Amino acid sequence: MTASEVLTLRRPDDFHLHVRDGQALAAVVPFTAARFARALIMPNLRPPVRTVAEASAYRERIRAARPADSRFEPLMSLYLTHHTAPEEIELARRHGGILGCKLYPAGATTHSDAGVTDIRALDAVLERMQETGLTLQVHGEVTDPQVDVFDREARFIDQVLAPLTERFAHLRIVFEHITTRAAVQFVLGARAGVAATVTPQHLLMNRNALFTGGIRPHHYCLPVLKSEVDREALCAAVASGTPRLFLGTDSAPHARTAKESACGCAGIFSAHAALELYAEAFEALGALAHLEAFAAHHGADFYGLARNEGHIRLVKSHWTVPERYPFGTEELVPLRAGERIGWRLETVAHA
Ligand code: DOR
Ligand code: ZN
């Protein structure tokens, strides 16, 4: 095998991941643990993970779901509500394994009903986050039903995020799963301390993928897939190697029956092939040289974490994704189900 057919990368991190709880947790954690050293776990359980005590308990449940020899480490985020106490921020900082707090505008996405309706009501909490250096992770979409679903991210930038980055000039902010040219431009032009995660699906697909030959519920996520112009802007930005952008899959498992429904849930499951899909996207851009930094340097550096020791290898070799994976008593349809992926995970060298 030639060197160009093997990619050796420092062990990466996934800075945006949903793993759910209970039997679902056990079904999905091994996929991420096989690829990533750490993952930032989203707190949108029901009820949400709002306190340090809840995050600590959830973290232990995730650790218990790892394969026996795994050293995978979950990192946590607290779900912000109108009842979040500023004192909780101090506790979170002292905990060490909690990187920040997640802002879900109420109604924006899965299990966001306990989220925030008025960001200004959170000023005391955001002030404390700014002081302590905890990061605000933002689901950046307005929820006004009058606003076109494809415009909700751009509108959020103007109405909420741009003013917020100015009002809290030292708050560290990650604009999660960006999907638009407007978001790329905002993040690249923003003050220091603002960064963004990018998912594999938003690099690989545009909104046509929702309707190819019929409606495709397994391509539905939030923020929804956008236009080709938007996808190209995301691709150009990651291909430039900017440290403002880093890996966050937003892998979001839902049972097959909850997706294949008259009112299907939002979320794409990609953990089974997360790094392989990013490799495909970067290869298509001629930017494989920037994959390692995107996957293993920029996020760790932004969060002030040590880069991981150890490496993983991807081999350029096709495999066919299973149609389904077990998911507790249900089943899970992964991204690219029944289709081929051109990169395969070879070995995992533990740190
Ligand atoms: O598609 C999504 N699914 N977007 C989100 O913001 C939440 C996620 C989930 O938890 O299912
Ligand atoms: Zn998410």
Side-chain angles (χ1 to χ4, degrees):
M1 205 169 308
T2 65
S4 66
E5 290 173 303
V6 179
L7 264 178
T8 303
L9 305 174
R10 182 190 293 274
R11 234 179 153 212
D13 301 304
D14 182 350
F15 279 104
H16 187 124
L17 179 70
H18 301 266
V19 292
R20 316 304 186 202
D21 212 342
Q23 288 185 322
L25 179 61
V28 297
V29 164
F31 292 110
T32 296
R35 289 162 179 77
F36 297 95
R38 300 171 291 206
L40 179 60
I41 309 298
M42 290 298 122
N44 62 332
L45 303 182
R46 200 167 246 158
V49 180
R50 290 154 298 188
T51 64
V52 172
E54 287 165 350
S56 295
Y58 184 34
R59 192 183 200 201
E60 287 315 311
R61 296 198 295 281
I62 299 166
R63 283 196 174 125
R66 297 176 299 191
D69 62 341
S70 173
R71 299 187 198 170
F72 170 72
E73 278 298 333
L75 300 165
M76 311 309 287
S77 173
L78 302 184
Y79 187 119
L80 288 177
T81 76
H82 286 289
H83 304 289
T84 304
E87 298 72 40
E88 202 68 33
I89 304 303
E90 303 283 355
L91 291 176
R93 180 76 255 177
R94 272 186 258 140
H95 180 276
I98 300 176
L99 297 189
C101 302
K102 179 77 188 272
L103 172 67
Y104 282 109
T109 188
T110 306
H111 299 172
S112 64
D113 37 305
V116 174
T117 52
D118 175 14
I119 183 83
R120 288 200 167 250
L122 263 58
D123 275 7
V125 168
L126 297 174
E127 190 69 52
R128 210 58 78 82
M129 289 180 67
Q130 179 167 257
E131 281 164 23
T132 57
L134 280 194
T135 296
L136 182 69
Q137 291 111 14
V138 180
H139 183 109
E141 290 189 286
V142 296
T143 56
D144 180 350
Q146 304 293 332
V147 177
D148 190 288
V149 73
F150 293 101
D151 295 337
R152 288 182 185 179
E153 185 175 273
R155 194 67 73 85
F156 185 88
I157 297 168
D158 295 340
Q159 287 184 358
V160 182
L161 195 53
L164 188 74
T165 56
E166 285 179 23
R167 285 203 304 123
F168 294 92
H170 301 286
L171 180 62
R172 299 189 68 73
I173 298 174
V174 177
F175 192 177
E176 298 292 340
H177 43 54
I178 60 168
T179 64
T180 56
R181 183 168 64 169
V184 169
Q185 286 171 349
F186 174 77
V187 172
L188 297 187
R191 64 159 170 80
V194 177
T197 53
V198 184
T199 76
Q201 63 264 27
H202 293 104
L203 291 174
L204 289 166
M205 297 189 285
N206 66 33
R207 60 198 182 190
N208 286 351
L210 288 162
F211 307 110
T212 311
I215 194 152
R216 300 292 193 121
H218 298 293
H219 290 165
Y220 175 54
C221 64
L222 286 171
V224 71
L225 295 172
K226 298 297 192 304
S227 72
E228 181 60 9
V229 167
D230 292 306
R231 190 189 74 84
E232 284 171 359
L234 285 176
C235 286
V238 299
S240 77
T242 172
R244 296 265 181 170
L245 303 180
F246 50 86
L247 189 156
T249 60
D250 200 15
S251 177
H254 290 275
R256 184 178 65 79
T257 49
K259 296 282 296 173
E260 296 174 8
S261 153
C263 187
C265 292
I268 292 178
F269 179 70
S270 63
H272 64 295
L275 209 56
E276 299 89 320
L277 290 163
Y278 282 110
E280 182 179 306
F282 276 69
E283 183 181 32
L285 295 166
L288 277 176
H290 290 304
L291 179 61
E292 181 176 43
F294 175 82
H297 300 171
H298 299 161
D301 296 352
F302 182 86
Y303 278 108
L305 301 170
R307 295 177 183 179
N308 300 310
E309 302 290 327
H311 293 82
I312 68 166
R313 275 151 63 93
L314 293 178
V315 181
K316 195 163 181 196
S317 134
H318 286 100
W319 59 292
T320 301
V321 176
E323 294 284 353
R324 284 152 201 201
Y325 288 111
F327 190 56
T329 55
E330 308 247 14
E331 48 190 20
L332 183 59
V333 178
L335 184 56
R336 291 280 177 81
E339 295 174 30
R340 296 209 309 177
I341 293 183
W343 290 91
R344 176 197 293 277
L345 186 69
E346 193 197 63
T347 54
V348 180
H350 288 303

